[in-house]
Amino acid sequence: MPASEPDVVRGSPARSSATTTKSASCCAVARTALLDTTPEPAFDRLTRIARTLVGAPVALISIVDRERMFFKSALGLPEPWRSRRDAPARRSFCELVVTSGENLVIGDARIAERFRNNPLIHELGVVAYLGIPLRAPAGHVIGAFCVVDPHPRAWTDHDVAWIEDLAQIAETEIVLRHAAEHDPLTGLANRRQFARAVGDALNAAAGDGPVSSVVAIDLDRFKSINDRFGHAVGDEVLKIVADRLMRVVTFEDLVARLGGDEFAVLVAPSRSAADVEHLVCRLHAAIARPVVAGGRLLRVESSIGVASTLDDVFTVGAADRLLARADAALYDAKAEREALQAVPRRIATAAGNGVKVQPHLPAVFPGRARASSNR
């Protein structure tokens, strides 16, 4: 039985939701860390099954960012799109799926008034299109699982059901991937994802490529919070700090919890040295605000060190070396603060190693709880 006339947009009762805002969607896309990643068998297997089940020549898993859609899996696409693995998001059918949060079923885009002037009809050969929303673990729509035919066709209810099922499997794969690369307590990227992102940044910086910075952050004397008030309070503090860090950075930056009380930020290459310095000050100020946790008012102190990809090249172990240089700057800052307790907050530069050091505010300072925001 046909699922639609040539031009139908409809939501699946089991999967429809309120329209996802573009900003929230892009933040969710960034957190998946799927953009610009290499093809993976787990996703390619699903698009291969989709092509076989519905008899369509093209099957895609499309992740939609602000300006473009990235094809995590793309089977049957013509060149140059097959090699590029991305295309402009504006006016794309996949973007419509993301903004509506509903299934998009098109039998013949050439005769549908809403779509007949869409350039993708000729550029990508999109005449018949069936797209199902893909949702991130938090529920935001981040892309579409779609099948495409360069010829008109009437998609059947079975076609829609098959692609919905495969979309759900793709979402499960994204959830598993997310769990493997994110810290379960804070939801931030974990060390594994951060190290890979740093390696990619070093690779991009080779030659005359863009320069990224790594910011290493350590919560000073955090152990005393766990010892005095228990690990539940300590965990609450870590989650509050993680939330504050995320509110300071942009969606282009990557924030990670490397373990214990250690955090790190991979700063987007679009930031200037002055921007990075300003970011460090804002990160420090965000952490320094009093924290309400476990019915107590706590003040958390941080040490921060910065290193740049400008001073290294992409070789085996380069990502670890860059993180080690940021950590070295961090511990220099910590040692300087401990030696000079009365020194006001400032930023010093360690000559000769391209590393900036941030000394800090007073010590962990427990007190009584008051009506105070953690944000």
Side-chain angles (χ1 to χ4, degrees):
M1 174 184 290
S4 68
E5 296 301 322
D7 174 15
V8 173
V9 182
R10 71 173 196 174
S12 166
R15 297 172 58 84
S16 296
S17 66
T19 300
T20 302
T21 65
K22 186 70 172 178
S23 178
S25 175
C26 289
C27 288
V29 167
R31 291 191 187 100
T32 65
L34 288 169
L35 290 175
D36 300 316
T37 53
T38 57
E40 297 180 49
F43 294 103
D44 287 343
R45 187 178 302 116
L46 296 177
T47 50
R48 188 164 57 247
I49 293 171
R51 287 204 309 178
T52 301
L53 287 174
V54 304
V58 178
L60 307 171
I61 294 177
S62 176
I63 308 300
V64 179
D65 200 15
R66 289 185 185 274
E67 304 295 335
R68 65 181 180 128
M69 50 182 177
F70 169 71
F71 303 128
K72 179 57 186 172
S73 180
L75 296 185
L77 267 186
E79 293 290 359
W81 313 107
R82 181 188 308 161
S83 299
R84 287 179 50 179
R85 299 183 65 223
D86 70 1
R90 186 172 178 271
R91 298 185 65 190
S92 70
F93 299 112
C94 292
E95 185 178 49
L96 289 174
V97 173
V98 171
T99 55
S100 70
E102 297 184 342
N103 297 353
L104 178 59
V105 185
I106 304 171
D108 189 346
R110 301 170 304 173
I111 62 174
E113 183 176 354
R114 183 180 178 186
F115 305 112
R116 62 189 178 193
N117 294 321
N118 193 300
L120 296 184
I121 295 174
H122 303 290
E123 292 176 7
L124 271 72
V126 182
V127 173
Y129 176 94
L130 168 57
I132 309 298
L134 283 176
R135 289 179 169 80
H140 299 299
V141 182
I142 58 171
F145 193 121
C146 62
V147 284
V148 174
D149 200 313
H151 306 289
R153 65 180 290 170
W155 301 102
T156 68
D157 288 335
H158 288 299
D159 293 336
V160 175
W162 279 122
I163 304 305
E164 284 184 337
D165 286 346
L166 291 171
Q168 290 187 8
I169 296 172
E171 289 174 349
T172 300
E173 187 63 35
I174 291 171
V175 168
L176 293 173
R177 196 178 190 279
H178 185 275
E181 298 194 338
H182 288 78
D183 173 50
L185 176 66
T186 63
L188 299 179
N190 61 14
R191 181 179 287 273
R192 173 184 175 184
Q193 183 187 158
F194 192 78
R196 188 183 69 243
V198 170
D200 292 341
L202 284 165
N203 195 23
D208 297 325
V211 176
S212 299
S213 296
V214 170
V215 179
I217 304 168
D218 183 75
L219 304 185
D220 297 335
R221 303 178 188 174
F222 178 76
K223 184 175 182 296
S224 66
I225 293 179
N226 282 333
D227 291 344
R228 292 189 63 181
F229 309 116
H231 287 277
V233 173
D235 287 350
E236 191 174 350
V237 170
L238 291 173
K239 289 189 284 187
I240 292 168
V241 169
D243 180 70
R244 290 180 178 180
L245 297 179
M246 286 297 297
R247 290 173 182 272
V248 171
V249 303
T250 71
F251 74 93
E252 295 178 306
D253 305 319
L254 178 65
V255 183
R257 181 185 176 212
L258 303 184
D261 57 4
E262 299 177 30
F263 296 85
V265 180
L266 177 61
V267 185
S270 58
R271 304 284 196 99
S272 67
D275 290 337
V276 174
E277 185 169 312
H278 179 62
L279 175 65
V280 167
C281 290
R282 292 183 62 208
L283 291 168
H284 183 268
I287 296 170
R289 295 200 308 274
V291 172
V292 176
R296 295 178 179 273
L297 185 66
L298 307 176
R299 193 166 187 178
V300 181
E301 176 184 316
S302 65
S303 297
I304 300 179
V306 184
S308 167
T309 57
L310 183 64
D311 304 310
D312 217 328
V313 294
F314 183 63
T315 56
V316 174
D320 289 337
R321 288 197 302 272
L322 184 61
L323 283 168
R325 288 197 294 110
D327 279 339
L330 183 156
Y331 288 112
D332 284 347
K334 191 187 295 285
E336 183 176 344
R337 181 190 56 76
E338 291 174 352
L340 301 171
Q341 292 290 331
V343 172
R345 180 166 49 120
R346 61 186 176 86
I347 295 180
T349 300
N353 62 2
V355 174
K356 290 182 179 177
V357 174
Q358 168 104 9
H360 324 357
L361 292 176
V364 176
F365 185 56
R368 287 195 172 276
R370 294 185 293 184
S372 174
S373 172
N374 285 327
R375 296 182 177 179

